[in-house]
Amino acid sequence: MLALFAAQANGQTPSAAKARSMQEILDASKPSDWRALDPGNTLYLELASGRVVIELAPDFAPAHVANLRTLAREGYWNGLSINRSQDNFVVQWGDGAEDEKARKPLGSAKSKLPAEFSRSSDKLDFHALPDRDGWAPQVGFADGFPAARDPASKTAWLAHCYGMVGAGRDIAPDSSNGTELYVVIGQSPRQLDRNITTVGRVVQGMELLSVLPRGTGPLGFYEKPEQRTAIKAIRLASEVPQNERTALEVLRTDTPLFDELVEARRNRRDDFYKRPAGHIDLCNVPLPARTPPAKG
């Protein structure tokens, strides 16, 4: 495992030179420690209050992500709404019509998709955390997403951490088609892992979703249409003119610098903390994003 983690396991204390703060670590990062978002796998959720940037995870949910791309290209969500805000749980959007016949047609998107709760862990670049997890044999990061892995069954899946995006479904495992999406806004509901298809995560704009008024109906649904938040559009970044895109880079999760950042959060050593924790939960590991620095 990592040198810093090994030192901790052996009861050693890293030198002061290595015990940098998270900000100091980020300030010392190199361009190679960051990666640009792929416009073909990035959604822009446009609200009156601003833009929410969502990175999709095609390696974990290829059928769902393909359907999301089609829905976005054909403007399916444009003019629909956020219909649910459940305290300490999720914000959910889609077609608010209760009558199936009144719902917006799907266009050329598929109405039926397979459940994509997990995938094979073969050939998956999985970067494990050093600490035990209560929900999975191993947890860590894959392609920049918080994920879990079971070596015995050779499967891996995305974890329901804050900011993760899932596809709402009915009772049947294969009853989601991507039209009803939700974002985790509260304590990580890891009991949903491997029970719902997880399609990506919010990279920027969580503050626009987490502050929405809570719904007073069952499960946090809004009881009146006027309580809903209108969706101006959901677009693929690749379909948006270059000068209108949000320039973002996210920190890679497969580098020594990220390992140092994890350790800095796992054992806080600034003056406020008197007792290092020696542990970090998967969903408490920060995943920084930034505007790319100006060249030159």
Side-chain angles (χ1 to χ4, degrees), residues 63-86:
H64 279 74
V65 169
N67 225 38
L68 295 180
R69 292 194 192 104
T70 299
L71 292 165
R73 287 193 184 101
E74 297 182 1
Y76 171 79
W77 290 287
N78 301 358
L80 295 183
S81 57
I82 294 175
N83 306 313
R84 177 188 183 190
S85 177
Q86 186 170 359

Side-chain angles (χ1 to χ4, degrees), residues 121-165:
S121 60
D122 289 343
K123 299 181 180 180
L124 180 67
D125 185 11
F126 188 88
H127 199 67
L129 291 181
D131 298 314
R132 293 176 60 87
D133 181 76
W135 300 97
Q138 292 180 338
V139 292
F141 294 88
D143 300 325
F145 295 95
R149 180 172 65 177
D150 182 1
S153 63
K154 296 183 179 181
T155 57
W157 57 93
L158 295 180
H160 272 80
C161 294
Y162 181 79
M164 293 298 285
V165 181

